[in-house]
mmCIF file of all heavy atoms in Angstrom:
data_model
loop_
_atom_site.group_PDB
_atom_site.id
_atom_site.type_symbol
_atom_site.label_atom_id
_atom_site.label_comp_id
_atom_site.label_asym_id
_atom_site.label_seq_id
_atom_site.Cartn_x
_atom_site.Cartn_y
_atom_site.Cartn_z
ATOM 1 N N THR F 1 14.919 2.035 0.769
ATOM 2 C CA THR F 1 13.993 1.210 -0.002
ATOM 3 C C THR F 1 12.847 0.711 0.869
ATOM 4 O O THR F 1 13.062 0.286 2.009
ATOM 5 C CB THR F 1 14.724 0.020 -0.630
ATOM 6 O OG1 THR F 1 15.745 0.504 -1.508
ATOM 7 C CG2 THR F 1 13.766 -0.850 -1.427
ATOM 8 N N LEU F 2 11.651 0.755 0.318
ATOM 9 C CA LEU F 2 10.434 0.270 0.957
ATOM 10 C C LEU F 2 10.041 -1.064 0.331
ATOM 11 O O LEU F 2 10.229 -1.267 -0.872
ATOM 12 C CB LEU F 2 9.321 1.295 0.755
ATOM 13 C CG LEU F 2 7.919 0.941 1.252
ATOM 14 C CD1 LEU F 2 7.873 0.977 2.768
ATOM 15 C CD2 LEU F 2 6.898 1.895 0.649
ATOM 16 N N TYR F 3 9.455 -1.965 1.131
ATOM 17 C CA TYR F 3 9.043 -3.277 0.647
ATOM 18 C C TYR F 3 7.606 -3.582 1.041
ATOM 19 O O TYR F 3 7.079 -3.068 2.020
ATOM 20 C CB TYR F 3 9.936 -4.380 1.227
ATOM 21 C CG TYR F 3 11.395 -4.202 0.946
ATOM 22 C CD1 TYR F 3 12.243 -3.635 1.899
ATOM 23 C CD2 TYR F 3 11.943 -4.600 -0.272
ATOM 24 C CE1 TYR F 3 13.591 -3.469 1.640
ATOM 25 C CE2 TYR F 3 13.288 -4.438 -0.534
ATOM 26 C CZ TYR F 3 14.110 -3.872 0.422
ATOM 27 O OH TYR F 3 15.450 -3.708 0.157
ATOM 28 N N LEU F 4 6.984 -4.456 0.260
ATOM 29 C CA LEU F 4 5.692 -5.019 0.620
ATOM 30 C C LEU F 4 5.728 -6.509 0.316
ATOM 31 O O LEU F 4 5.770 -6.907 -0.847
ATOM 32 C CB LEU F 4 4.551 -4.348 -0.156
ATOM 33 C CG LEU F 4 3.142 -4.812 0.232
ATOM 34 C CD1 LEU F 4 2.789 -4.335 1.644
ATOM 35 C CD2 LEU F 4 2.103 -4.319 -0.775
ATOM 36 N N GLN F 5 5.740 -7.322 1.358
ATOM 37 C CA GLN F 5 5.662 -8.768 1.208
ATOM 38 C C GLN F 5 4.196 -9.160 1.175
ATOM 39 O O GLN F 5 3.460 -8.896 2.126
ATOM 40 C CB GLN F 5 6.373 -9.472 2.363
ATOM 41 C CG GLN F 5 6.320 -10.989 2.303
ATOM 42 C CD GLN F 5 7.081 -11.557 1.127
ATOM 43 O OE1 GLN F 5 8.213 -11.151 0.874
ATOM 44 N NE2 GLN F 5 6.473 -12.480 0.404
ATOM 45 N N MET F 6 3.771 -9.803 0.094
ATOM 46 C CA MET F 6 2.377 -10.180 -0.097
ATOM 47 C C MET F 6 2.280 -11.699 -0.142
ATOM 48 O O MET F 6 2.817 -12.336 -1.051
ATOM 49 C CB MET F 6 1.819 -9.578 -1.384
ATOM 50 C CG MET F 6 1.960 -8.064 -1.457
ATOM 51 S SD MET F 6 1.137 -7.357 -2.909
ATOM 52 C CE MET F 6 2.154 -8.056 -4.205
ATOM 53 N N ASN F 7 1.599 -12.273 0.836
ATOM 54 C CA ASN F 7 1.385 -13.711 0.917
ATOM 55 C C ASN F 7 -0.097 -14.027 0.789
ATOM 56 O O ASN F 7 -0.948 -13.162 0.964
ATOM 57 C CB ASN F 7 1.912 -14.261 2.244
ATOM 58 C CG ASN F 7 3.396 -14.074 2.421
ATOM 59 O OD1 ASN F 7 4.158 -14.104 1.462
ATOM 60 N ND2 ASN F 7 3.824 -13.896 3.665
ATOM 61 N N SER F 8 -0.401 -15.288 0.505
ATOM 62 C CA SER F 8 -1.787 -15.751 0.383
ATOM 63 C C SER F 8 -2.603 -14.844 -0.521
ATOM 64 O O SER F 8 -3.712 -14.427 -0.190
ATOM 65 C CB SER F 8 -2.429 -15.844 1.772
ATOM 66 O OG SER F 8 -1.706 -16.723 2.608
ATOM 67 N N LEU F 9 -2.057 -14.551 -1.682
ATOM 68 C CA LEU F 9 -2.695 -13.602 -2.594
ATOM 69 C C LEU F 9 -4.040 -14.115 -3.096
ATOM 70 O O LEU F 9 -4.211 -15.306 -3.344
ATOM 71 C CB LEU F 9 -1.771 -13.302 -3.768
ATOM 72 C CG LEU F 9 -0.650 -12.314 -3.436
ATOM 73 C CD1 LEU F 9 0.470 -12.417 -4.455
ATOM 74 C CD2 LEU F 9 -1.195 -10.892 -3.383
ATOM 75 N N LYS F 10 -4.974 -13.179 -3.248
ATOM 76 C CA LYS F 10 -6.313 -13.459 -3.725
ATOM 77 C C LYS F 10 -6.557 -12.741 -5.042
ATOM 78 O O LYS F 10 -5.882 -11.762 -5.354
ATOM 79 C CB LYS F 10 -7.354 -12.978 -2.701
ATOM 80 C CG LYS F 10 -7.195 -13.547 -1.314
ATOM 81 C CD LYS F 10 -8.180 -12.896 -0.361
ATOM 82 C CE LYS F 10 -8.047 -13.451 1.041
ATOM 83 N NZ LYS F 10 -9.003 -12.810 1.976
ATOM 84 N N PHE F 11 -7.552 -13.200 -5.790
ATOM 85 C CA PHE F 11 -7.911 -12.540 -7.034
ATOM 86 C C PHE F 11 -8.217 -11.056 -6.799
ATOM 87 O O PHE F 11 -7.877 -10.212 -7.635
ATOM 88 C CB PHE F 11 -9.121 -13.222 -7.669
ATOM 89 C CG PHE F 11 -9.643 -12.516 -8.884
ATOM 90 C CD1 PHE F 11 -8.988 -12.629 -10.100
ATOM 91 C CD2 PHE F 11 -10.783 -11.734 -8.808
ATOM 92 C CE1 PHE F 11 -9.462 -11.976 -11.222
ATOM 93 C CE2 PHE F 11 -11.266 -11.080 -9.930
ATOM 94 C CZ PHE F 11 -10.595 -11.203 -11.141
ATOM 95 N N GLU F 12 -8.834 -10.739 -5.683
ATOM 96 C CA GLU F 12 -9.205 -9.367 -5.356
ATOM 97 C C GLU F 12 -8.000 -8.451 -5.134
ATOM 98 O O GLU F 12 -8.166 -7.228 -5.066
ATOM 99 C CB GLU F 12 -10.080 -9.328 -4.098
ATOM 100 C CG GLU F 12 -11.263 -10.271 -4.135
ATOM 101 C CD GLU F 12 -10.944 -11.607 -3.495
ATOM 102 O OE1 GLU F 12 -11.148 -11.736 -2.269
ATOM 103 O OE2 GLU F 12 -10.495 -12.519 -4.230
ATOM 104 N N ASP F 13 -6.805 -9.014 -5.002
ATOM 105 C CA ASP F 13 -5.596 -8.213 -4.847
ATOM 106 C C ASP F 13 -5.064 -7.700 -6.184
ATOM 107 O O ASP F 13 -4.123 -6.904 -6.207
ATOM 108 C CB ASP F 13 -4.498 -9.017 -4.154
ATOM 109 C CG ASP F 13 -4.860 -9.411 -2.729
ATOM 110 O OD1 ASP F 13 -5.416 -8.555 -2.000
ATOM 111 O OD2 ASP F 13 -4.589 -10.564 -2.350
ATOM 112 N N THR F 14 -5.628 -8.152 -7.285
ATOM 113 C CA THR F 14 -5.189 -7.718 -8.609
ATOM 114 C C THR F 14 -5.375 -6.213 -8.759
ATOM 115 O O THR F 14 -6.478 -5.698 -8.589
ATOM 116 C CB THR F 14 -5.968 -8.449 -9.703
ATOM 117 O OG1 THR F 14 -5.682 -9.845 -9.637
ATOM 118 C CG2 THR F 14 -5.584 -7.938 -11.088
ATOM 119 N N ALA F 15 -4.293 -5.501 -9.075
ATOM 120 C CA ALA F 15 -4.325 -4.045 -9.180
ATOM 121 C C ALA F 15 -2.953 -3.531 -9.588
ATOM 122 O O ALA F 15 -1.965 -4.270 -9.576
ATOM 123 C CB ALA F 15 -4.727 -3.416 -7.846
ATOM 124 N N MET F 16 -2.908 -2.247 -9.931
ATOM 125 C CA MET F 16 -1.644 -1.545 -10.046
ATOM 126 C C MET F 16 -1.276 -1.065 -8.647
ATOM 127 O O MET F 16 -2.103 -0.431 -7.973
ATOM 128 C CB MET F 16 -1.763 -0.368 -11.003
ATOM 129 C CG MET F 16 -0.449 0.342 -11.282
ATOM 130 S SD MET F 16 0.660 -0.614 -12.356
ATOM 131 C CE MET F 16 -0.136 -0.384 -13.947
ATOM 132 N N TYR F 17 -0.077 -1.374 -8.214
ATOM 133 C CA TYR F 17 0.380 -1.002 -6.883
ATOM 134 C C TYR F 17 1.347 0.171 -6.959
ATOM 135 O O TYR F 17 2.318 0.133 -7.723
ATOM 136 C CB TYR F 17 1.056 -2.189 -6.198
ATOM 137 C CG TYR F 17 0.069 -3.185 -5.647
ATOM 138 C CD1 TYR F 17 -0.686 -3.984 -6.505
ATOM 139 C CD2 TYR F 17 -0.134 -3.321 -4.278
ATOM 140 C CE1 TYR F 17 -1.618 -4.881 -6.009
ATOM 141 C CE2 TYR F 17 -1.055 -4.219 -3.769
ATOM 142 C CZ TYR F 17 -1.791 -4.997 -4.641
ATOM 143 O OH TYR F 17 -2.715 -5.893 -4.147
ATOM 144 N N TYR F 18 1.084 1.188 -6.151
ATOM 145 C CA TYR F 18 1.867 2.418 -6.154
ATOM 146 C C TYR F 18 2.536 2.650 -4.809
ATOM 147 O O TYR F 18 1.911 2.497 -3.757
ATOM 148 C CB TYR F 18 0.970 3.627 -6.440
ATOM 149 C CG TYR F 18 0.281 3.597 -7.774
ATOM 150 C CD1 TYR F 18 -0.973 3.020 -7.914
ATOM 151 C CD2 TYR F 18 0.878 4.164 -8.896
ATOM 152 C CE1 TYR F 18 -1.620 3.000 -9.136
ATOM 153 C CE2 TYR F 18 0.236 4.152 -10.122
ATOM 154 C CZ TYR F 18 -1.010 3.574 -10.234
ATOM 155 O OH TYR F 18 -1.654 3.564 -11.451
ATOM 156 N N CYS F 19 3.780 3.049 -4.851
ATOM 157 C CA CYS F 19 4.505 3.530 -3.684
ATOM 158 C C CYS F 19 4.236 5.025 -3.551
ATOM 159 O O CYS F 19 4.074 5.726 -4.557
ATOM 160 C CB CYS F 19 5.999 3.259 -3.885
ATOM 161 S SG CYS F 19 7.089 3.824 -2.576
ATOM 162 N N ALA F 20 4.174 5.538 -2.316
ATOM 163 C CA ALA F 20 3.872 6.946 -2.118
ATOM 164 C C ALA F 20 4.501 7.488 -0.842
ATOM 165 O O ALA F 20 4.703 6.755 0.125
ATOM 166 C CB ALA F 20 2.361 7.164 -2.061
ATOM 167 N N ARG F 21 4.791 8.778 -0.862
ATOM 168 C CA ARG F 21 5.183 9.504 0.341
ATOM 169 C C ARG F 21 3.949 10.217 0.860
ATOM 170 O O ARG F 21 3.240 10.879 0.098
ATOM 171 C CB ARG F 21 6.297 10.507 0.039
ATOM 172 C CG ARG F 21 6.999 11.026 1.284
ATOM 173 C CD ARG F 21 8.162 11.929 0.936
ATOM 174 N NE ARG F 21 7.753 13.324 0.829
ATOM 175 C CZ ARG F 21 8.574 14.323 0.548
ATOM 176 N NH1 ARG F 21 9.864 14.075 0.310
ATOM 177 N NH2 ARG F 21 8.116 15.566 0.471
ATOM 178 N N VAL F 22 3.691 10.083 2.154
ATOM 179 C CA VAL F 22 2.464 10.560 2.769
ATOM 180 C C VAL F 22 2.770 11.715 3.716
ATOM 181 O O VAL F 22 3.758 11.672 4.455
ATOM 182 C CB VAL F 22 1.759 9.416 3.532
ATOM 183 C CG1 VAL F 22 0.453 9.899 4.156
ATOM 184 C CG2 VAL F 22 1.507 8.230 2.610
ATOM 185 N N ARG F 23 1.922 12.719 3.702
ATOM 186 C CA ARG F 23 2.065 13.832 4.632
ATOM 187 C C ARG F 23 1.919 13.324 6.062
ATOM 188 O O ARG F 23 0.978 12.584 6.369
ATOM 189 C CB ARG F 23 1.027 14.912 4.330
ATOM 190 C CG ARG F 23 1.082 15.406 2.892
ATOM 191 C CD ARG F 23 0.112 16.548 2.648
ATOM 192 N NE ARG F 23 -0.175 16.723 1.234
ATOM 193 C CZ ARG F 23 0.602 17.366 0.377
ATOM 194 N NH1 ARG F 23 1.748 17.907 0.776
ATOM 195 N NH2 ARG F 23 0.247 17.464 -0.893
ATOM 196 N N ALA F 24 2.816 13.736 6.931
ATOM 197 C CA ALA F 24 2.985 13.147 8.255
ATOM 198 C C ALA F 24 1.714 12.986 9.093
ATOM 199 O O ALA F 24 1.523 11.926 9.693
ATOM 200 C CB ALA F 24 4.035 13.941 9.039
ATOM 201 N N PRO F 25 0.834 14.001 9.166
ATOM 202 C CA PRO F 25 -0.348 13.837 10.025
ATOM 203 C C PRO F 25 -1.325 12.780 9.540
ATOM 204 O O PRO F 25 -2.229 12.403 10.290
ATOM 205 C CB PRO F 25 -1.006 15.221 9.983
ATOM 206 C CG PRO F 25 0.047 16.148 9.493
ATOM 207 C CD PRO F 25 0.884 15.335 8.554
ATOM 208 N N TRP F 26 -1.150 12.288 8.305
ATOM 209 C CA TRP F 26 -2.115 11.385 7.688
ATOM 210 C C TRP F 26 -1.575 9.983 7.462
ATOM 211 O O TRP F 26 -2.136 9.235 6.669
ATOM 212 C CB TRP F 26 -2.588 11.985 6.359
ATOM 213 C CG TRP F 26 -3.140 13.362 6.521
ATOM 214 C CD1 TRP F 26 -2.534 14.527 6.193
ATOM 215 C CD2 TRP F 26 -4.405 13.707 7.090
ATOM 216 N NE1 TRP F 26 -3.339 15.581 6.501
ATOM 217 C CE2 TRP F 26 -4.494 15.116 7.054
ATOM 218 C CE3 TRP F 26 -5.478 12.966 7.614
ATOM 219 C CZ2 TRP F 26 -5.611 15.796 7.533
ATOM 220 C CZ3 TRP F 26 -6.578 13.642 8.094
ATOM 221 C CH2 TRP F 26 -6.639 15.043 8.049
ATOM 222 N N CYS F 27 -0.522 9.589 8.154
ATOM 223 C CA CYS F 27 0.118 8.306 7.892
ATOM 224 C C CYS F 27 -0.867 7.138 8.026
ATOM 225 O O CYS F 27 -0.911 6.252 7.181
ATOM 226 C CB CYS F 27 1.317 8.090 8.816
ATOM 227 S SG CYS F 27 2.409 6.763 8.275
ATOM 228 N N ARG F 28 -1.667 7.138 9.085
ATOM 229 C CA ARG F 28 -2.649 6.070 9.276
ATOM 230 C C ARG F 28 -3.904 6.322 8.452
ATOM 231 O O ARG F 28 -4.391 5.419 7.767
ATOM 232 C CB ARG F 28 -2.998 5.936 10.757
ATOM 233 C CG ARG F 28 -4.071 4.890 11.049
ATOM 234 C CD ARG F 28 -4.361 4.782 12.541
ATOM 235 N NE ARG F 28 -4.788 6.053 13.101
ATOM 236 C CZ ARG F 28 -6.029 6.541 13.051
ATOM 237 N NH1 ARG F 28 -6.993 5.838 12.456
ATOM 238 N NH2 ARG F 28 -6.310 7.714 13.593
ATOM 239 N N ARG F 29 -4.413 7.542 8.500
ATOM 240 C CA ARG F 29 -5.703 7.814 7.877
ATOM 241 C C ARG F 29 -5.638 7.911 6.364
ATOM 242 O O ARG F 29 -6.687 7.879 5.713
ATOM 243 C CB ARG F 29 -6.311 9.075 8.481
ATOM 244 C CG ARG F 29 -6.686 8.886 9.949
ATOM 245 C CD ARG F 29 -7.466 10.047 10.486
ATOM 246 N NE ARG F 29 -8.762 10.179 9.821
ATOM 247 C CZ ARG F 29 -9.626 11.155 10.041
ATOM 248 N NH1 ARG F 29 -9.329 12.099 10.922
ATOM 249 N NH2 ARG F 29 -10.771 11.184 9.393
ATOM 250 N N SER F 30 -4.442 7.994 5.782
ATOM 251 C CA SER F 30 -4.330 7.979 4.326
ATOM 252 C C SER F 30 -4.828 6.665 3.740
ATOM 253 O O SER F 30 -5.171 6.595 2.562
ATOM 254 C CB SER F 30 -2.892 8.235 3.881
ATOM 255 O OG SER F 30 -2.033 7.184 4.302
#
């Protein structure tokens, strides 16, 4: 299981949030 702890939320954080598997060479640049 993957988690995302979100603190000090702002109005600009409003969105649909998606979990994803990323191709290995692009982990940072994705």
